[in-house]
Amino acid sequence: MPHTILLVDGSSYLYRAFHALPDLRNPEGQPTGALYGVINMLKKLRKDYPSAYAACVFDAKGKTFRDDWYPQYKANRPSMPDDLVSQIARWSMALRRTM
């Protein structure tokens, strides 16, 4: 697979894992299910679809070009659940510490 790249819609994976798994929490009581699910789904994807490269891309926070193109974009979508927001925030902080 010398010229293949695996692209993943990370935001879709986050929501999918969040809603598919039970309310998993760490010993401190913080929610962890979405991140646990995403990591496992990515591991399985890499195993099932070997590639030379892989990238997991997430939606940008706030307004994007899609909002300019179509003002009703996500107009009826509810806000992100707080338990998912907190997992993303902790994950972002952990990634910053490792870079």
Side-chain angles (χ1 to χ4, degrees):
M1 309 288 166
H3 301 292
T4 59
I5 184 167
L6 178 64
L7 296 175
V8 178
D9 180 347
S11 298
S12 173
Y13 264 34
L14 272 172
Y15 271 91
R16 193 169 144 197
F18 180 78
H19 291 290
L21 293 173
D23 185 20
L24 302 176
R25 295 183 178 264
N26 67 13
E28 290 80 34
Q30 300 166 325
T32 59
L35 297 181
Y36 175 81
V38 168
I39 290 166
N40 282 302
M41 288 191 297
L42 290 173
K43 287 167 89 174
K44 180 170 177 13
L45 194 63
R46 289 299 307 262
K47 180 182 172 201
D48 293 347
Y49 298 95
S51 61
Y53 306 96
C56 187
V57 183
F58 296 87
D59 291 343
K61 184 176 182 180
K63 189 177 175 184
T64 69
F65 68 92
R66 292 179 184 102
D67 298 285
D68 295 331
W69 288 357
Y70 182 63
Q72 294 301 313
Y73 180 68
K74 294 187 179 182
N76 297 316
R77 190 172 292 181
S79 298
M80 183 182 288
D82 290 339
D83 279 354
L84 182 53
V85 171
S86 69
Q87 291 179 69
I88 293 169
R90 281 196 323 278
W91 193 11
S92 295
M93 288 189 313
L95 287 174
R96 282 189 204 112
R97 285 194 298 262
T98 61
M99 298 177 113

